Structures are given as C-alpha cells and as structure tokens.
Amino acid sequence: MATARLDYVAPWWTYWLHNFPHFNFFFQTVDSTFKPEEASYQQSLIILACVGAVGLGVSLLVLAVYLVCLCCCRRDIDEDTKRPDTCCVTWVAIITGLIICSAVGVGFYGNSETNDGVYQMNYSLYNANRTLGNINNLVAGSLGNVETGLKQHLERLDEIFSTRPDYLQALRFMQLMVNNVIRELTVLPDINKTNFDLAAIADQTAFIEYYRWLIYLLLLILDLVICLAMCLGMAKHSQYLLITIMGFVILSLILSWASLGVDTATAVGISDFCVSPDKFIVNHTKDFLSADVAHYYLFCSPNLPNPFQQSLTTCQRSLTTMQIQIQGLLQFSVRVFPTAERDLLGIQRLLNSTEFSLHKLTALLDCRGLHKDYLDALMGVCYDGVEGLLYLSLFSLLAACALSAMLCVIFRVWTLMGSREKEYDDIDEEDPFNPQARRISYNPRRSNTHSFCSYTTSLGSQASLHPPPQSTSSVTSPPEYMNQSMLFGGTPRYENVPLIGRGSPPPSLRDPFKAP
C-alpha cells in the first residue's frame, strides 16, 4: 500500500525572523542565508544579540534619571498628601507583580516548548543515526562475507575441481559474480562520516539544551521569589529586606536582557536555516554524498529515482546466479568429489546470509524512513523550538520592563519609609498620645510600687505630705485605681490625686443607695 509523502513547509514566524536586517560590525547589509562558517554572518548574529545589551543600558539610564529626580525632588509631605502617593506606589507594585507573574507563565510555556522541540530533533537524529549505522553494518557484513568467505571456499574448490574443466568453468563464472557484488557494494556511499556527524550534533545539542533549560528554570523561580519578597518587604517595612530584593532585582534584570539578546540571535539564526534547510544540507554533504543521493533523501519524491536501485538489483541477480550454480554443483559434483560438499554448503550459507542482508539493506536505503526522521527533526526545531524561543523572548522583555518598574517602586518605598521615620523622630516622647512614649514609660517592675510620689494635693506641696503606711497586702496587691492609672502611661499627671490618702474608694465605685 502506497503511503502519502510528507512535505515540509516553514512556519510564518521563521520567514518573519528571516527578514530581520542582518548587519556586520561595519553596519553593512549581510545576506540572511544561513552560513554559520562565514565571519560576516556570525557578526550579524552578534549584533542581534547586542539588542539585550542596548536594552539593559536604556533601562539603567532610565533608572538613574528616575533616582536623580527622586533625590532632587524629595520634600517633606504632610499626612494628607502622603496617602495618594502610597496608594499609587501600591497599585504600581501590584501591577508590576501581576506582569511578572504573567511573564513567568509565558516563560514556563516557552521553556517547555523549546525543550520539546529540541528533544524531538535529538530523537530524530538518533533514529537516523541508528538507521545509518545499520546500513553501514549491513554493507560491511556483506562485503566481509563476499570478499573473505566466498573467496576462501572458491579457492579450495578450485584445487578440488582441478581435474574437471567444466566444474572449473562454473567456479570462474561464480568468481565473476562475486566481483560484481563487491563492486556494487563498494559504490554505495561511505556513511561512517555521516554517522559520526549526526551523533556528535545530537550529543552536543542535548548537552546545551539541558543547561539552557535549567538556567531558564532557575531564572523563572528567581522572578517568582522576587515578587513574593517584594510583597513581604513592603508589608513589613523592612529596609534590609528591600536592599536584598534590590540586589536580586538588578541581577534578574541583567539576566533578562541577556537572555533576550541570546534568544533573539538564536531564533533568527535557526529561522535562517529553517527557511531553506535543503540547500544548506546539500552544500555541507557534497564531500561524501552526491547531489542526487542528497536530493533523493531530502525530497523523497516519486519522480526521483533511487540512486542505489541499479547496484542493489545487480547484487541481487549476482547472488541468485551463484545460488543456481551452487545447486548444480551440489547435485552433480558431490558424487565425484565428496570433499567438495563442505565448501559448497559453506558457500550456500554465505549466499543465503548475504541475500537476507541485501533485502534488509534495500529496505533501509529507501528514502521514506530517513526522510521521515528528517521532517520530524525540522518540525521539532523550526516549529516547537523557534516558537518556544519567541515565547522566551517575550518573557524576557516583559520581565525586564517589569523589573525596571519594580526598582522604581523600591526606590519610592525607600524614600517614603525614610520620611516616615523622620516624622516619628520629630514627635515628642513626653507626648501622652505617642505610642512609643507609652511603651517606654511602662515598666512591669514598677507596677507594684508607690504612685511615683504623687501625693501632692491642691493645698500643699509634695514635700509636706507623706504616704500612709501600707500593709503587706497593699504591697502585693495595688489598688484598683493605680492599675487604671497605668493605662495612661503610669505618669503622675493621670492619677486621681485628691483620692490619695482616703480610706474610701473613688466616688464612682461607691454604692449609690448607701449614704456617704
């Protein structure tokens, strides 16, 4: 049953990235054809990677200008004007946190897509590598059987049949068939170099992808931790925590802009390859593969003939002819030369084994298997891989902008905290309505002592009055009005002075139905 041929069509975003301007270090236009070995093309990708450095410089410049303006325009603000500024800073912090969380979600998706694309490409490369390795083993095994095994058996049979010219003629004809098989197997392409290149590319790509995936995962986690730490720092009003957050924000900002530049250059370079991958592969395999062989596997069109079909057909016919000759010799020569039976059976086994290997080789050399691996690799790198890099670039851009805004928020919160502490320092500690004064004045050790010498009355001085003698129970259990006075800071000015020294409780605690 015939199978439909798969075709590769480059996605639209690869054409969009392919049309990005390419300039060298002298700002001269460079051809966007994928040529990684040329210095001018490498320079164009380096310039694209410098976009991240330019973005980082602009961000730092804007932050420096904002910081200078914030320091120059700093002034004391009263309580009424402080509330709108605090509300504005809070809303900016909330929006910044939401943008970073959204960017982290986009980054997780892009990181997963890129990893899936690279994994699919590596899987296809390893599968193609295994196919090419099997082809190489089959060709080498068939050549070994024909060159070594068959020739040894034919040489011994030549000695045995030395007295029979008709049998020697059959052996000469078989030797001619053996030479045909050796010649046709030799013209098959030497794929050892191809096998090594595919394995090396797959191993190196897997190594780079692992560390790329890990670095992005750590960067995404760092951004989430920064968001949570910023919320905690603003809630706790901790300057030390804000300083720590500021350092991590600057580090994440640098990494975000750097990743944006690397992702942009990588996506453009891969897109240049994905737009015309066939041309690049044909040019780089011409040293060990002919153009017709490369086109056969890259396009796998029914209109393209199999370049190995003639060689495989010749080998098959030669093996079939030798099988017929061996059957005849086994039928007629064994009666006369019994010692030739072992060599004839050995040749028959080698021919059967070689014919079986030739059938497997014919199936492996068909273009459909390798072409499918080739398409799967292109789909992985050009669809999922480049799409994931675009999402990662979007994450880097959003995260960099949001982190810049977060630094502005941290600077503003820092100034508000400084102005608030300055206002607290200006408050009189003797003010009874100052909560700090209340905390300072209250001492649990002094709660069970006298009323801080507050025996003064409106008719005499403090020195003329003496406190009444107190019993043991009064020392251990102070009067209730003294406990109430402690609620006002424990200072003498809040005690009910006229009630001191009386033997009766305050009027508010008397029985209203009992006469005074």
Side-chain angles (χ1 to χ4, degrees), residues 161-179:
F161 297 152
S162 59
T163 59
R164 294 293 300 267
D166 52 345
Y167 294 160
L168 292 176
Q169 185 178 1
L171 293 179
R172 299 292 182 271
F173 183 73
M174 291 179 62
Q175 184 65 44
L176 181 62
M177 296 295 103
V178 169
N179 294 333

PDB file of all heavy atoms in Angstrom, residues 161-179:
ATOM      1  N   PHE A 161      38.478 -29.253  -7.833  1.00  0.00           N
ATOM      2  CA  PHE A 161      37.980 -29.479  -9.195  1.00  0.00           C
ATOM      3  C   PHE A 161      39.058 -29.246 -10.259  1.00  0.00           C
ATOM      4  O   PHE A 161      38.745 -28.942 -11.407  1.00  0.00           O
ATOM      5  CB  PHE A 161      36.795 -28.557  -9.480  1.00  0.00           C
ATOM      6  CG  PHE A 161      35.600 -28.790  -8.606  1.00  0.00           C
ATOM      7  CD1 PHE A 161      34.716 -27.758  -8.321  1.00  0.00           C
ATOM      8  CD2 PHE A 161      35.343 -30.043  -8.080  1.00  0.00           C
ATOM      9  CE1 PHE A 161      33.611 -27.976  -7.531  1.00  0.00           C
ATOM     10  CE2 PHE A 161      34.240 -30.264  -7.283  1.00  0.00           C
ATOM     11  CZ  PHE A 161      33.371 -29.219  -6.991  1.00  0.00           C
ATOM     12  N   SER A 162      40.289 -29.385  -9.888  1.00  0.00           N
ATOM     13  CA  SER A 162      41.363 -29.090 -10.851  1.00  0.00           C
ATOM     14  C   SER A 162      41.359 -30.051 -12.039  1.00  0.00           C
ATOM     15  O   SER A 162      41.848 -29.717 -13.135  1.00  0.00           O
ATOM     16  CB  SER A 162      42.724 -29.142 -10.149  1.00  0.00           C
ATOM     17  OG  SER A 162      42.930 -30.431  -9.574  1.00  0.00           O
ATOM     18  N   THR A 163      40.802 -31.237 -11.871  1.00  0.00           N
ATOM     19  CA  THR A 163      40.779 -32.223 -12.955  1.00  0.00           C
ATOM     20  C   THR A 163      39.521 -32.158 -13.810  1.00  0.00           C
ATOM     21  O   THR A 163      39.413 -32.903 -14.797  1.00  0.00           O
ATOM     22  CB  THR A 163      40.895 -33.632 -12.348  1.00  0.00           C
ATOM     23  OG1 THR A 163      39.812 -33.857 -11.439  1.00  0.00           O
ATOM     24  CG2 THR A 163      42.225 -33.807 -11.627  1.00  0.00           C
ATOM     25  N   ARG A 164      38.574 -31.280 -13.416  1.00  0.00           N
ATOM     26  CA  ARG A 164      37.326 -31.163 -14.164  1.00  0.00           C
ATOM     27  C   ARG A 164      37.190 -29.752 -14.723  1.00  0.00           C
ATOM     28  O   ARG A 164      36.813 -28.808 -14.018  1.00  0.00           O
ATOM     29  CB  ARG A 164      36.127 -31.482 -13.258  1.00  0.00           C
ATOM     30  CG  ARG A 164      36.070 -32.914 -12.789  1.00  0.00           C
ATOM     31  CD  ARG A 164      35.801 -33.862 -13.956  1.00  0.00           C
ATOM     32  NE  ARG A 164      34.556 -33.573 -14.601  1.00  0.00           N
ATOM     33  CZ  ARG A 164      33.403 -34.169 -14.290  1.00  0.00           C
ATOM     34  NH1 ARG A 164      33.385 -35.109 -13.353  1.00  0.00           N
ATOM     35  NH2 ARG A 164      32.308 -33.860 -14.956  1.00  0.00           N
ATOM     36  N   PRO A 165      37.465 -29.556 -16.028  1.00  0.00           N
ATOM     37  CA  PRO A 165      37.377 -28.211 -16.615  1.00  0.00           C
ATOM     38  C   PRO A 165      35.964 -27.640 -16.587  1.00  0.00           C
ATOM     39  O   PRO A 165      35.791 -26.420 -16.459  1.00  0.00           O
ATOM     40  CB  PRO A 165      37.868 -28.415 -18.043  1.00  0.00           C
ATOM     41  CG  PRO A 165      38.675 -29.664 -18.004  1.00  0.00           C
ATOM     42  CD  PRO A 165      38.046 -30.524 -16.969  1.00  0.00           C
ATOM     43  N   ASP A 166      34.943 -28.488 -16.710  1.00  0.00           N
ATOM     44  CA  ASP A 166      33.581 -27.958 -16.691  1.00  0.00           C
ATOM     45  C   ASP A 166      33.219 -27.374 -15.326  1.00  0.00           C
ATOM     46  O   ASP A 166      32.578 -26.325 -15.227  1.00  0.00           O
ATOM     47  CB  ASP A 166      32.596 -29.058 -17.077  1.00  0.00           C
ATOM     48  CG  ASP A 166      32.810 -30.314 -16.239  1.00  0.00           C
ATOM     49  OD1 ASP A 166      33.877 -30.416 -15.597  1.00  0.00           O
ATOM     50  OD2 ASP A 166      31.909 -31.171 -16.224  1.00  0.00           O
ATOM     51  N   TYR A 167      33.679 -28.049 -14.253  1.00  0.00           N
ATOM     52  CA  TYR A 167      33.437 -27.507 -12.912  1.00  0.00           C
ATOM     53  C   TYR A 167      34.271 -26.242 -12.678  1.00  0.00           C
ATOM     54  O   TYR A 167      33.800 -25.282 -12.038  1.00  0.00           O
ATOM     55  CB  TYR A 167      33.757 -28.548 -11.845  1.00  0.00           C
ATOM     56  CG  TYR A 167      32.837 -29.753 -11.870  1.00  0.00           C
ATOM     57  CD1 TYR A 167      33.227 -30.951 -11.264  1.00  0.00           C
ATOM     58  CD2 TYR A 167      31.593 -29.688 -12.482  1.00  0.00           C
ATOM     59  CE1 TYR A 167      32.400 -32.054 -11.270  1.00  0.00           C
ATOM     60  CE2 TYR A 167      30.757 -30.798 -12.500  1.00  0.00           C
ATOM     61  CZ  TYR A 167      31.148 -31.969 -11.897  1.00  0.00           C
ATOM     62  OH  TYR A 167      30.333 -33.075 -11.911  1.00  0.00           O
ATOM     63  N   LEU A 168      35.494 -26.234 -13.203  1.00  0.00           N
ATOM     64  CA  LEU A 168      36.321 -25.030 -13.057  1.00  0.00           C
ATOM     65  C   LEU A 168      35.711 -23.842 -13.792  1.00  0.00           C
ATOM     66  O   LEU A 168      35.804 -22.691 -13.331  1.00  0.00           O
ATOM     67  CB  LEU A 168      37.734 -25.300 -13.585  1.00  0.00           C
ATOM     68  CG  LEU A 168      38.594 -26.285 -12.784  1.00  0.00           C
ATOM     69  CD1 LEU A 168      39.930 -26.529 -13.484  1.00  0.00           C
ATOM     70  CD2 LEU A 168      38.801 -25.751 -11.376  1.00  0.00           C
ATOM     71  N   GLN A 169      35.058 -24.107 -14.902  1.00  0.00           N
ATOM     72  CA  GLN A 169      34.393 -23.020 -15.629  1.00  0.00           C
ATOM     73  C   GLN A 169      33.248 -22.440 -14.801  1.00  0.00           C
ATOM     74  O   GLN A 169      33.033 -21.221 -14.782  1.00  0.00           O
ATOM     75  CB  GLN A 169      33.883 -23.538 -16.974  1.00  0.00           C
ATOM     76  CG  GLN A 169      33.282 -22.453 -17.853  1.00  0.00           C
ATOM     77  CD  GLN A 169      32.834 -22.986 -19.199  1.00  0.00           C
ATOM     78  OE1 GLN A 169      32.968 -24.205 -19.478  1.00  0.00           O
ATOM     79  NE2 GLN A 169      32.323 -22.118 -20.046  1.00  0.00           N
ATOM     80  N   ALA A 170      32.507 -23.319 -14.116  1.00  0.00           N
ATOM     81  CA  ALA A 170      31.442 -22.831 -13.223  1.00  0.00           C
ATOM     82  C   ALA A 170      32.026 -21.998 -12.088  1.00  0.00           C
ATOM     83  O   ALA A 170      31.451 -20.963 -11.681  1.00  0.00           O
ATOM     84  CB  ALA A 170      30.642 -24.010 -12.678  1.00  0.00           C
ATOM     85  N   LEU A 171      33.176 -22.424 -11.558  1.00  0.00           N
ATOM     86  CA  LEU A 171      33.816 -21.630 -10.492  1.00  0.00           C
ATOM     87  C   LEU A 171      34.281 -20.270 -11.012  1.00  0.00           C
ATOM     88  O   LEU A 171      34.183 -19.257 -10.301  1.00  0.00           O
ATOM     89  CB  LEU A 171      35.001 -22.413  -9.914  1.00  0.00           C
ATOM     90  CG  LEU A 171      34.661 -23.708  -9.147  1.00  0.00           C
ATOM     91  CD1 LEU A 171      35.937 -24.374  -8.652  1.00  0.00           C
ATOM     92  CD2 LEU A 171      33.725 -23.393  -7.973  1.00  0.00           C
ATOM     93  N   ARG A 172      34.801 -20.213 -12.239  1.00  0.00           N
ATOM     94  CA  ARG A 172      35.222 -18.924 -12.804  1.00  0.00           C
ATOM     95  C   ARG A 172      34.018 -17.993 -12.966  1.00  0.00           C
ATOM     96  O   ARG A 172      34.107 -16.794 -12.733  1.00  0.00           O
ATOM     97  CB  ARG A 172      35.884 -19.148 -14.170  1.00  0.00           C
ATOM     98  CG  ARG A 172      37.127 -20.016 -14.152  1.00  0.00           C
ATOM     99  CD  ARG A 172      38.275 -19.310 -13.432  1.00  0.00           C
ATOM    100  NE  ARG A 172      39.472 -20.129 -13.459  1.00  0.00           N
ATOM    101  CZ  ARG A 172      39.775 -21.033 -12.535  1.00  0.00           C
ATOM    102  NH1 ARG A 172      38.942 -21.241 -11.526  1.00  0.00           N
ATOM    103  NH2 ARG A 172      40.898 -21.723 -12.610  1.00  0.00           N
ATOM    104  N   PHE A 173      32.919 -18.560 -13.379  1.00  0.00           N
ATOM    105  CA  PHE A 173      31.721 -17.741 -13.533  1.00  0.00           C
ATOM    106  C   PHE A 173      31.235 -17.214 -12.166  1.00  0.00           C
ATOM    107  O   PHE A 173      30.818 -16.051 -12.051  1.00  0.00           O
ATOM    108  CB  PHE A 173      30.625 -18.575 -14.210  1.00  0.00           C
ATOM    109  CG  PHE A 173      29.375 -17.805 -14.481  1.00  0.00           C
ATOM    110  CD1 PHE A 173      29.324 -16.854 -15.497  1.00  0.00           C
ATOM    111  CD2 PHE A 173      28.233 -18.006 -13.707  1.00  0.00           C
ATOM    112  CE1 PHE A 173      28.162 -16.133 -15.740  1.00  0.00           C
ATOM    113  CE2 PHE A 173      27.077 -17.281 -13.947  1.00  0.00           C
ATOM    114  CZ  PHE A 173      27.038 -16.339 -14.968  1.00  0.00           C
ATOM    115  N   MET A 174      31.315 -18.053 -11.136  1.00  0.00           N
ATOM    116  CA  MET A 174      30.938 -17.606  -9.783  1.00  0.00           C
ATOM    117  C   MET A 174      31.900 -16.522  -9.270  1.00  0.00           C
ATOM    118  O   MET A 174      31.479 -15.578  -8.600  1.00  0.00           O
ATOM    119  CB  MET A 174      30.930 -18.797  -8.816  1.00  0.00           C
ATOM    120  CG  MET A 174      29.798 -19.783  -9.088  1.00  0.00           C
ATOM    121  SD  MET A 174      29.842 -21.193  -7.957  1.00  0.00           S
ATOM    122  CE  MET A 174      29.611 -20.368  -6.389  1.00  0.00           C
ATOM    123  N   GLN A 175      33.173 -16.668  -9.596  1.00  0.00           N
ATOM    124  CA  GLN A 175      34.130 -15.624  -9.195  1.00  0.00           C
ATOM    125  C   GLN A 175      33.802 -14.296  -9.847  1.00  0.00           C
ATOM    126  O   GLN A 175      33.941 -13.232  -9.234  1.00  0.00           O
ATOM    127  CB  GLN A 175      35.545 -16.074  -9.577  1.00  0.00           C
ATOM    128  CG  GLN A 175      36.641 -15.125  -9.126  1.00  0.00           C
ATOM    129  CD  GLN A 175      36.740 -15.038  -7.619  1.00  0.00           C
ATOM    130  OE1 GLN A 175      36.686 -16.082  -6.935  1.00  0.00           O
ATOM    131  NE2 GLN A 175      36.886 -13.844  -7.089  1.00  0.00           N
ATOM    132  N   LEU A 176      33.319 -14.349 -11.106  1.00  0.00           N
ATOM    133  CA  LEU A 176      32.900 -13.117 -11.777  1.00  0.00           C
ATOM    134  C   LEU A 176      31.708 -12.481 -11.075  1.00  0.00           C
ATOM    135  O   LEU A 176      31.642 -11.254 -10.898  1.00  0.00           O
ATOM    136  CB  LEU A 176      32.558 -13.434 -13.236  1.00  0.00           C
ATOM    137  CG  LEU A 176      32.109 -12.256 -14.116  1.00  0.00           C
ATOM    138  CD1 LEU A 176      33.227 -11.225 -14.215  1.00  0.00           C
ATOM    139  CD2 LEU A 176      31.697 -12.750 -15.502  1.00  0.00           C
ATOM    140  N   MET A 177      30.771 -13.330 -10.625  1.00  0.00           N
ATOM    141  CA  MET A 177      29.612 -12.808  -9.893  1.00  0.00           C
ATOM    142  C   MET A 177      30.025 -12.191  -8.540  1.00  0.00           C
ATOM    143  O   MET A 177      29.487 -11.173  -8.118  1.00  0.00           O
ATOM    144  CB  MET A 177      28.593 -13.930  -9.655  1.00  0.00           C
ATOM    145  CG  MET A 177      27.974 -14.515 -10.914  1.00  0.00           C
ATOM    146  SD  MET A 177      26.970 -13.325 -11.829  1.00  0.00           S
ATOM    147  CE  MET A 177      28.083 -12.906 -13.194  1.00  0.00           C
ATOM    148  N   VAL A 178      30.992 -12.835  -7.899  1.00  0.00           N
ATOM    149  CA  VAL A 178      31.497 -12.292  -6.627  1.00  0.00           C
ATOM    150  C   VAL A 178      32.107 -10.917  -6.837  1.00  0.00           C
ATOM    151  O   VAL A 178      31.899  -9.981  -6.047  1.00  0.00           O
ATOM    152  CB  VAL A 178      32.513 -13.271  -6.008  1.00  0.00           C
ATOM    153  CG1 VAL A 178      33.241 -12.601  -4.832  1.00  0.00           C
ATOM    154  CG2 VAL A 178      31.817 -14.536  -5.545  1.00  0.00           C
ATOM    155  N   ASN A 179      32.866 -10.751  -7.892  1.00  0.00           N
ATOM    156  CA  ASN A 179      33.460  -9.443  -8.181  1.00  0.00           C
ATOM    157  C   ASN A 179      32.389  -8.390  -8.469  1.00  0.00           C
ATOM    158  O   ASN A 179      32.537  -7.220  -8.090  1.00  0.00           O
ATOM    159  CB  ASN A 179      34.421  -9.564  -9.366  1.00  0.00           C
ATOM    160  CG  ASN A 179      35.633 -10.425  -9.046  1.00  0.00           C
ATOM    161  OD1 ASN A 179      36.038 -10.536  -7.880  1.00  0.00           O
ATOM    162  ND2 ASN A 179      36.217 -11.054 -10.072  1.00  0.00           N
TER     163      ASN A 179
END
